[in-house]
Amino acid sequence: MEREYLIHERPLRALLIFALPMILGNLFQQFYTMADSVIVGRFVNESALAAVGASYSLTNVFISIAIGGGVGASVITSRYFGARDYGKLKLSVYTALIAFAAVSVLLGIIGLILGRRIMLLLNTPPDILDSATTYLNIYFLGLPFLFLYNILSAMFNALGRSRIPLYLLIFSSLFNVALDLVMVLVFDLGVAGAAWATLIAQGISAIISLTIFLRILSGICREKQPPFSACEFRSMTRIALPSVLQQSTVSIGMMLVQSVVNSFGVEMLAGFSAAMRVESLCVVPMSAMGNAMSTYTSQNIGAGRFERVPKGYHTAGGIVLCFAILICIPLECFYGDIISLFLGADGTALAVQTGTGYLRFMGWFYLMIGLKMTTDGLLRGAGDMPLFTVANLVNLALRVVLAVTLAPRFGIEMVWYAVPIGWAANFLISYAEYRTGKWREKNAVRKE
């Protein structure tokens, strides 16, 4: 079948066909929040950029939960697709949509109630606290749209249709930028305008995505299925929860570290926020390869083609090496120009120094997160979750402990020195688990 290329094509071709639309789509998704930062940073003021940046670490946790839940749910869907069990595939999709709709509403309510308190706990500077809280409250109102879109994107990918989320993201990202400009420049709504623009663009994109997906699903399987299955939910949860943890590890770590950064003041926070926006783009190809490896592994295990998994893993390692080189060159050569896109000509020296310092240091280490994510993707796709979970917890603990203990004493640079140490520890633990071959043994028994 045309959509089974992850099972039949050469690993390099299969992974690239699958991952490249996902990379482009994720870049446009990051374009959402980057547009907010660029527009408020250049057309409002540095404090507005800091306010959006202070909110970013918390909002990114919810984005990661949505993405992680979608990826975890899609592992089950991919396996049914590889095995051509379309009835269970349809049931798993319905279960995922209902479950995560409920989760998104619950998290949105919690966010609206506790958002300001969390920002206070993160030591958000008082002069930007109100703006940051306003941005968060509007963001939480749109949380169901965020979850719906990301779950559907993962399901499109599980069916090998990764181009559809790309087209939708291109549309919604461009629409978001246009709305940003109108809300901020025409209506002078500042930080709130950027938040409303994102909510409206995501909402329209999510509704269109749901309409398209339901039409595709009805073409794959016309068999009627119940709307929810407790059994499918349990199977999905066993993979989705560790996947959520893996996807949100970086975000949770940054949220905890954010309190350290905030204590250095608005100027350093603005520079750090600009650098974080750039990093969110840099990790996109690495994250996409990890998600591609997850679906590739799951489909091939479902089809009983275990020998293709190591071949795909080695191929993915070569791909992330190429991406790491392409990322390193512009960061090391044009770090000043990149940061100035956010801060403009009026950016303070301290903000510029903080942002460029982060980019120049981190430019050399994106290969490590690429290797970490592809290895994690393989384990997740194979359903080998215990060591996967441990590795990501170690990553989180190292980053937080090193930043919190060293930055107040030796300077803000300790915040980013801790990042590659956490990535390296995560990779080594996950790789050691992969080498044991337990992922193969467990799934071979199930096939028998």
Side-chain angles (χ1 to χ4, degrees):
M1 293 177 63
E2 178 188 356
R3 299 299 173 185
E4 295 180 348
Y5 60 86
L6 287 173
I7 301 171
H8 301 297
E9 291 281 357
R10 289 184 300 109
L12 178 62
R13 176 177 168 79
L15 286 169
L16 287 177
I17 289 175
F18 185 87
L20 286 178
M22 193 188 304
I23 290 170
L24 290 173
N26 288 344
L27 285 173
F28 274 98
Q29 188 168 45
Q30 291 298 332
F31 197 38
Y32 269 112
T33 52
M34 180 170 281
D36 291 347
S37 296
V38 170
I39 290 170
V40 300
R42 294 183 70 91
F43 299 114
V44 184
N45 53 48
E46 196 171 272
S47 293
L49 172 59
V52 175
S55 310
Y56 176 70
S57 62
L58 181 56
T59 60
N60 216 36
V61 171
F62 290 92
I63 293 172
S64 297
I65 292 172
I67 294 174
V71 171
S74 71
V75 168
I76 302 297
T77 304
S78 296
R79 196 162 298 173
Y80 289 143
F81 186 77
R84 299 189 180 184
D85 190 344
Y86 300 126
K88 286 188 175 180
L89 182 153
K90 189 173 185 178
L91 181 59
S92 71
V93 169
Y94 285 168
T95 301
L97 290 175
I98 292 174
F100 284 105
V103 169
S104 67
V105 172
L106 177 62
L107 290 177
I109 293 171
I110 293 172
L112 287 169
I113 295 171
L114 299 179
R116 186 179 182 88
R117 296 178 189 176
I118 294 173
M119 297 308 292
L120 285 169
L121 290 174
L122 294 177
N123 297 320
T124 303
D127 48 344
I128 63 170
L129 178 61
D130 289 341
S131 295
T133 303
T134 297
Y135 186 90
L136 275 177
N137 287 340
I138 297 170
Y139 174 87
F140 287 130
L141 289 175
L143 207 59
F145 293 130
L146 172 73
F147 268 73
L148 176 60
Y149 178 78
N150 280 284
I151 297 300
L152 288 172
S153 291
M155 293 302 179
F156 277 123
N157 293 333
L159 302 182
R161 298 174 183 257
S162 55
R163 291 184 182 180
I164 295 175
L166 168 62
Y167 298 147
L168 290 170
L169 271 171
I170 291 174
F171 158 74
S172 57
S173 298
L174 295 176
F175 186 41
N176 181 53
V177 172
L179 285 175
D180 266 329
L181 292 170
V182 171
M183 296 287 190
V184 174
L185 297 182
V186 178
F187 295 112
D188 196 26
L189 294 177
V191 170
W196 281 115
T198 299
L199 185 154
I200 294 168
Q202 282 185 340
I204 293 174
S205 180
I207 292 170
I208 296 173
S209 181
L210 178 62
T211 303
I212 295 173
F213 187 83
L214 291 178
R215 184 174 300 175
I216 291 174
L217 190 62
S218 65
I220 292 175
C221 178
R222 297 187 179 278
E223 176 185 343
K224 287 189 176 181
Q225 294 291 343
F228 187 85
S229 166
C231 180
E232 290 299 323
F233 178 71
R234 286 193 296 270
S235 298
M236 204 171 292
T237 301
R238 281 195 294 269
I239 295 178
L241 285 180
S243 179
V244 166
L245 175 65
Q246 186 268 337
Q247 291 285 334
S248 60
T249 292
V250 173
S251 302
I252 294 172
M254 287 313 303
M255 184 181 71
L256 297 175
V257 170
Q258 186 80 54
S259 62
V260 179
V261 176
N262 290 346
S263 68
F264 284 91
V266 172
E267 292 181 355
M268 283 193 175
L269 174 56
F272 184 74
S273 299
M276 285 296 94
R277 298 304 197 196
V278 177
E279 179 168 284
S280 68
L281 293 180
C282 294
V283 300
V284 160
M286 309 310 183
S287 178
M289 286 307 304
N291 293 338
M293 194 64 214
S294 180
T295 302
Y296 173 91
T297 300
S298 186
Q299 282 198 16
N300 279 281
I301 287 175
R305 305 196 65 180
F306 294 91
E307 77 285 352
R308 284 176 55 84
V309 175
K311 294 178 181 177
Y313 176 62
H314 296 145
T315 300
I319 294 172
V320 297
L321 172 60
C322 295
F323 280 128
I325 294 171
L326 292 175
I327 291 168
C328 180
I329 293 172
L331 289 187
E332 298 304 319
C333 296
F334 306 108
Y335 51 86
D337 295 327
I338 294 171
I339 289 297
S340 68
L341 289 174
F342 296 86
L343 298 175
D346 298 328
T348 61
L350 192 55
V352 172
Q353 179 184 347
T354 302
T356 55
Y358 187 93
L359 294 186
R360 292 182 69 184
F361 176 79
M362 289 302 302
W364 302 101
F365 295 103
Y366 287 107
L367 173 61
M368 186 54 64
I369 193 174
L371 295 175
K372 158 195 144 41
M373 287 188 166
T374 52
T375 310
D376 283 350
L378 186 154
L379 296 179
R380 183 175 60 237
D384 189 358
M385 310 308 290
L387 262 293
F388 166 99
T389 305
V390 170
N392 282 277
L393 287 175
V394 169
N395 176 14
L396 172 60
L398 281 173
R399 294 185 61 181
V400 172
V401 170
L402 290 175
V404 170
T405 58
L406 297 181
R409 184 175 179 182
F410 298 106
I412 196 172
E413 292 82 5
M414 295 299 111
V415 170
W416 46 88
Y417 291 171
V419 175
I421 295 174
W423 290 347
N426 190 155
F427 165 67
L428 291 174
I429 295 171
S430 295
Y431 182 73
E433 175 68 5
Y434 160 70
R435 292 288 295 174
T436 66
K438 292 178 183 177
W439 62 270
R440 183 197 300 265
E441 295 168 8
K442 179 171 63 176
N443 285 287
V445 170
R446 286 177 180 172
K447 293 297 289 185
E448 293 173 0

